[in-house]
Amino acid sequence: MIKKILDDLKIDLYEILKSLGVNEDVEIFFEVPQDTNFGDFSTNIAMRLAKTLRKSPVMIAKDIISRIDVAKNHIIKVDVAGAGFINFFFDRKFLSEVIFEVLKEKENFGNIKISDEKVNIEFVSANPTGYLHIAHGRGASYGDSLSRILKKSGYNVTKEHYVNDGGNQINNLGFSIQQRYFELFGRDAKMEDGYYHGKEIIEIAKMIKEEVGDKYLDNDGYEYFRQRGMDYLLQGLKDDLKDFNVEFDVWFSEKSLYDNGEVEKTLNQLIKDNHTYELDGAIWLKTTDYNDEKDRVLVKSDKSLTYLTPDIAYHKNKLSRGYDQLIDVLGADHHGYINRLKAAIACVGGNPDKVHIEILQMVRVIQDGVEVKMSKRSGKSITLRDIMDEVGSDAIRYMYSAKALSTPMDLDLDLALRQTNENPVYYVQYAYARIASLFRMLKEKNIEFKEVSSFTNINLEKCDKIIMTLLQYPLVIEEAALKRLPHKIAQYAYSLASALHSYYNDEKIITENSLETNEKLTMMKAVQIVLKDSLNLLGVNVKEKM
RNA sequence: GUCCCAGUAGCUCAGUUGGAUAGAGCAACGGCCUUCUAAGCCGUGUGUCGGGAGUUCGAAUCUCUUCUGGGACGCCA
């Protein structure tokens, strides 16, 4: 609704600008003023036109507002303030209708149609060689929330996890397990470079010993160790993610690209199209043709492939599946990889502009003021499961979501644990639970609730914050989707909760006056719907009771 | 040496097409429960936006420079 109002207003404004002699393309946009006393929405268009029109912003603004058709747009007041802002005040009664809109559309409220493009978002993509750690958790949280936001914005989204089951690391996993298995029978484990040292490897070896005894002690059980280890870890990965409220549509196997010949085909195509050359016995890809700082090796002099080669085939595969956009969420240590990958995609004829790479920065866990590095579970870096056990999936997802991906983040366990009631996620969940409890109270008191279809008995001014916040939901969704910033949703959920708490303290909801009660409850229900939906976008559950 | 991210209140962070007096939470202090959940509300204080220069009507935001912290720079994955 508000989008429509603003869009209509925008059209009117463009007409007005034309009549003022503005021919160039300027985009008009509205923002919510920091100080709501300034108005409901404002635009700075007058200031931005000052130079081309060679007039003072205030003069231009006054010209503009004198031509605005106030009645048509549900505006009750429009004025010029500050350096030339145009501030709009809308009719309260009209704006309050957003509540009925929410009730009608339910969880579809805020659904917008930015685009129906097909988007593939690849995230986590952890090697199945150990447990997920906290940085994976951050990527999982971001990728999953972004997917939900994009879906709500109309995109056709596929969530994909790439499984590195084709390369050397998976062989090393097999060897590592094998050595630990031998160790269990009293032999020395020979843990070479590149082998995996997490406690989970020992656990797997024990499990295998229990399952098959000494069957693979003296004959070659390597294949079995490799496969069994990977299956086990992959399942663990899926379980962890599921408990973290993250599920993938596609688990894409790197190995499948070798099996069906796509890696080879990609390589041959690159050679045929003259994107490669040989040097020192290796085959190099001319990524410098497309903005990379140096060329990259595809085939090493020992004839084995680098990581890049199957990854090119993988991205080619994704593009061939008809996606309009590919989003890759990668760890901070991959930023040097971006140019290389984009260049390589260009070499195979893909459009690198379709590929968006989001880099997530480090996560540190802080307890008692110092960084915690060791996980009891894996004996290595802190795992996602460690944190979930400590603070729960909801709290951790909210904490991840609340911060922009580009910020190196400190996760303060003291705050998350000892002061759980100070944690923002509880604040938002509490708002929801409070409303839920109102409806429970009704049942206890045997009061019947009837949804109203207009407001006549309540003081709309007191509901201002709630109404304005509800109105902004679609706008926030749009911004979060276009800029790929899920933390906007976390901020939004918090501000809606804040509006609710404030109102709840100020006004008694269930009163003797049943008309008033029904109107208030109608509004409460709308708030509840949007709170639930916004938390859902973050993968956070609501609680009926706290 | 090159590149990326960060530097904003005591702490954790918002502030992303340059705009109004730079904002939240936590921490601190003062009020508010005979009444729907006080995990709440209301109020108070807090800033060389790392430093310096520039661009302009206007800069936390853009440019240059510089300092600090983290990370990346492989025929690793």
Side-chain angles (χ1 to χ4, degrees):
Chain A
M1 178 182 79
I2 191 67
K3 251 181 94 56
K4 174 128 181 27
I5 300 174
L6 294 180
D7 285 347
D8 288 350
L9 187 54
K10 208 182 271 187
I11 292 167
D12 288 358
L13 286 174
Y14 278 122
E15 282 301 315
I16 292 169
L17 291 189
K18 217 186 266 176
S19 72
L20 288 173
V22 179
N23 292 315
E24 61 180 304
D25 270 350
V26 279
E27 203 186 338
I28 297 172
F29 55 91
F30 300 98
E31 57 185 2
V32 178
Q34 293 163 19
D35 186 339
T36 49
N37 290 322
F38 285 130
D40 300 326
F41 289 92
S42 72
T43 177
N44 63 356
I45 187 65
M47 281 129 94
R48 291 168 52 226
L49 288 172
K51 198 168 284 176
T52 46
L53 291 180
R54 293 165 176 257
K55 276 165 86 174
S56 87
V58 176
M59 290 293 288
I60 298 167
K62 283 185 173 162
D63 274 352
I64 292 173
I65 67 169
S66 68
R67 298 173 195 222
I68 291 175
D69 185 349
V70 170
K72 178 183 154 199
N73 291 302
H74 302 284
I75 297 167
I76 48 170
K77 194 171 94 177
V78 50
D79 62 17
V80 178
F85 287 96
I86 302 174
N87 293 322
F88 300 92
F89 296 79
F90 291 94
D91 175 34
R92 289 332 233 201
K93 182 99 178 152
F94 175 70
L95 292 185
S96 71
E97 286 172 21
V98 69
I99 287 165
F100 310 122
E101 196 187 351
V102 173
L103 290 168
K104 193 172 141 222
E105 299 185 6
K106 304 226 162 48
E107 69 277 4
N108 292 322
F109 177 72
N111 287 16
I112 49 178
K113 206 81 193 164
I114 294 181
S115 159
D116 56 3
E117 282 184 344
K118 276 184 77 175
V119 178
N120 178 292
I121 171 160
E122 182 213 327
F123 56 107
V124 184
S125 293
N127 292 342
T129 54
Y131 292 140
L132 290 173
H133 52 75
I134 47 175
H136 289 128
R138 190 177 193 184
S141 173
Y142 176 86
D144 181 61
S145 297
L146 183 61
S147 305
R148 294 170 191 242
I149 292 163
L150 291 177
K151 269 183 201 165
K152 199 170 172 65
S153 305
Y155 291 91
N156 182 346
V157 183
T158 304
K159 293 184 276 184
E160 186 153 326
H161 187 294
Y162 184 52
V163 181
N164 297 107
D165 54 1
N168 206 30
Q169 74 279 13
I170 220 73
N171 296 334
N172 283 339
L173 173 72
F175 288 127
S176 307
I177 296 170
Q178 189 174 36
Q179 290 303 318
R180 292 302 188 192
Y181 176 78
F182 290 160
E183 194 178 43
L184 293 173
F185 289 93
R187 301 185 186 174
D188 278 344
K190 291 182 212 124
M191 298 300 285
E192 294 175 16
D193 274 0
Y195 284 18
Y196 296 93
H197 291 81
K199 281 185 186 169
E200 56 269 41
I201 305 300
I202 299 174
E203 282 169 27
I204 295 168
K206 280 183 186 163
M207 183 183 72
I208 290 176
K209 184 187 171 190
E210 274 175 31
E211 284 172 8
V212 302
D214 61 2
K215 184 175 170 190
Y216 294 115
L217 200 52
D218 293 310
N219 61 359
D220 186 16
Y222 168 73
E223 270 303 322
Y224 179 80
F225 291 112
R226 203 182 76 109
Q227 194 59 44
R228 189 72 186 85
M230 195 179 75
D231 289 348
Y232 176 84
L233 287 168
L234 210 51
Q235 191 53 50
L237 224 126
K238 289 181 185 177
D239 292 344
D240 283 1
L241 287 168
K242 192 168 184 203
D243 289 344
F244 200 50
N245 217 348
V246 176
E247 294 191 55
F248 285 90
D249 304 309
V250 176
W251 288 79
F252 193 96
S253 157
E254 176 191 0
K255 189 166 172 289
S256 71
L257 292 168
Y258 288 97
D259 293 346
N260 66 15
E262 283 184 53
V263 174
E264 201 186 344
K265 225 187 315 180
T266 305
L267 188 57
N268 288 338
Q269 188 200 326
L270 286 169
I271 294 169
K272 186 171 143 273
D273 293 347
N274 204 23
H275 288 299
T276 63
Y277 58 89
E278 278 195 53
L279 181 72
D280 300 333
I283 297 176
W284 296 70
L285 180 64
K286 291 188 256 182
T287 50
T288 44
D289 288 351
Y290 296 95
N291 219 8
D292 196 9
E293 58 201 26
K294 53 176 286 196
D295 293 335
R296 307 292 172 174
V297 171
L298 292 175
V299 183
K300 296 183 240 174
S301 50
D302 68 0
K303 300 302 167 210
S304 65
L305 305 180
T306 62
Y307 176 80
L308 179 62
T309 313
D311 211 30
I312 299 170
Y314 176 48
H315 281 83
K316 190 164 169 277
N317 178 290
K318 282 200 274 192
L319 287 169
S320 75
R321 280 183 265 154
Y323 293 109
D324 301 296
Q325 288 187 55
L326 302 183
I327 300 174
D328 288 10
V329 182
L330 300 177
D333 53 345
H334 280 71
H335 91 256
Y337 190 69
I338 300 175
N339 283 341
R340 194 180 316 184
L341 181 63
K342 288 201 170 192
I345 288 168
C347 287
V348 289
N351 178 359
D353 293 336
K354 284 185 171 181
V355 182
H356 308 286
I357 297 177
E358 298 291 339
I359 292 292
L360 64 96
Q361 292 300 318
M362 302 276 113
V363 184
R364 299 190 307 165
V365 176
I366 307 287
Q367 193 161 28
D368 300 326
V370 293
E371 183 178 358
V372 190
K373 285 189 169 159
M374 286 286 273
S375 159
K376 288 184 193 127
R377 188 181 302 274
S378 78
K380 296 187 73 195
S381 47
I382 307 266
T383 66
L384 176 60
R385 182 61 75 174
D386 289 332
I387 301 286
M388 276 201 282
D389 286 350
E390 295 267 17
V391 296
S393 170
D394 284 344
I396 184 74
R397 281 208 63 165
Y398 191 92
M399 286 172 120
Y400 278 136
S401 306
K403 291 173 188 180
L405 205 62
S406 61
T407 317
M409 121 177 225
D410 283 350
L411 218 147
D412 190 338
L413 274 188
D414 301 321
L415 186 83
L417 289 171
R418 276 210 292 273
Q419 308 167 355
T420 49
N421 48 347
E422 312 294 351
N423 194 312
V425 71
Y426 294 99
Y427 182 87
V428 183
Q429 287 178 321
Y430 184 44
Y432 182 91
R434 272 183 145 174
I435 299 173
S437 108
L438 287 173
F439 285 96
R440 276 199 303 274
M441 178 68 64
L442 280 190
K443 274 191 183 160
E444 277 172 33
K445 290 189 173 176
N446 258 322
I447 301 171
E448 201 193 346
F449 164 59
K450 270 195 196 140
E451 233 176 78
V452 301
S453 54
S454 75
F455 293 120
T456 48
N457 291 277
I458 57 171
N459 184 346
L460 279 180
E461 262 173 48
K462 293 207 174 193
C463 312
D464 220 42
K465 185 85 194 299
I466 289 178
I467 291 168
M468 286 309 293
T469 309
L470 289 175
L471 272 169
Q472 282 164 40
Y473 192 52
L475 305 177
V476 173
I477 301 281
E478 183 177 31
E479 190 188 10
L482 288 175
K483 295 180 180 168
R484 297 192 282 276
L485 298 177
H487 75 272
K488 297 277 176 194
I489 305 294
Q491 286 171 6
Y492 176 83
Y494 193 91
S495 68
L496 182 57
S498 169
L500 182 278
H501 284 310
S502 188
Y503 185 77
Y504 185 95
N505 265 272
D506 202 30
E507 288 278 302
K508 193 155 164 52
I509 311 292
I510 300 173
T511 65
E512 298 303 315
N513 181 337
S514 69
L515 288 172
E516 186 190 344
T517 302
N518 280 330
E519 287 184 21
K520 284 178 174 174
L521 285 170
T522 300
M523 185 169 68
M524 291 295 108
K525 217 172 165 189
V527 172
Q528 203 180 22
I529 288 168
V530 177
L531 274 176
K532 183 175 183 176
D533 194 61
S534 54
L535 284 177
N536 181 52
L537 290 177
L538 303 175
V540 175
N541 297 301
V542 295
K543 293 179 178 167
E544 298 297 321
K545 208 180 232 180
M546 288 178 78

